[in-house]
Amino acid sequence: MCPQDEARAELLRLRGSIDNMDSALVHLLAERFKVTKRVGELKAAAGLPPADTEREAQQIARLRALAVDADLDPEFAEKFLTFIVTEVVRHHERLVAEQRE
Ligand SMILES: O=C(O)C(=O)C[C@]1(C(=O)O)C=C[C@@H](O)C=C1
């Protein structure tokens, strides 16, 4: 096999691995959002605030430490968590608004 064909074969193998991990991420996110939906319903029913900044600070500190141990950029880990939590809080707020309608 010529070097380019070898590179293409390796590229396909690596992309297969990327596809598996992207699938796992989607499934993990779907499970996380199922749980946070229950959290949002619980909070809305009990009149608790949608966001909990103290909990978020704990999660960020925990994930940043995990990222460092895993050789992942902690800034990226924080941005990723913040992106997800922002969306969760939006869902929680929508539930409260729907409850008021
Ligand atoms: O733990 C909660 O209280 C949640 O609502 C879940 C969650 C999260 O997605 O992890 C979302 C919003 C809060 O600000 C903190 C954490």
Side-chain angles (χ1 to χ4, degrees):
M1 232 198 299
C2 76
Q4 273 208 343
D5 286 345
E6 276 172 23
R8 282 196 195 94
E10 176 66 355
L11 183 58
L12 280 182
R13 274 193 296 276
L14 293 172
R15 283 181 177 168
S17 203
I18 289 169
D19 286 347
N20 284 343
M21 287 184 279
D22 286 349
S23 303
L25 276 176
V26 165
H27 286 108
L28 281 173
L29 281 171
E31 288 308 307
R32 194 185 195 284
F33 274 92
K34 277 181 201 160
V35 175
T36 55
K37 183 170 185 278
R38 298 212 323 257
V39 171
E41 287 162 356
L42 186 75
K43 284 181 166 182
L48 291 167
D52 181 339
T53 51
E54 203 174 310
R55 164 74 175 152
E56 289 176 26
Q58 289 166 353
Q59 288 170 292
I60 287 169
R62 181 172 167 272
L63 275 209
R64 285 187 71 103
L66 282 174
V68 170
D69 283 351
D71 205 19
L72 178 72
D73 179 3
E75 287 298 311
F76 172 74
E78 177 169 347
K79 275 194 235 163
F80 184 60
L81 181 72
T82 302
F83 179 68
I84 294 167
V85 171
T86 301
E87 182 66 9
V88 171
V89 170
R90 209 173 59 79
H91 290 189
H92 287 358
E93 287 169 345
R94 198 175 52 203
L95 271 179
V96 174
E98 280 168 8
Q99 211 181 37
R100 290 208 185 106
E101 281 170 13

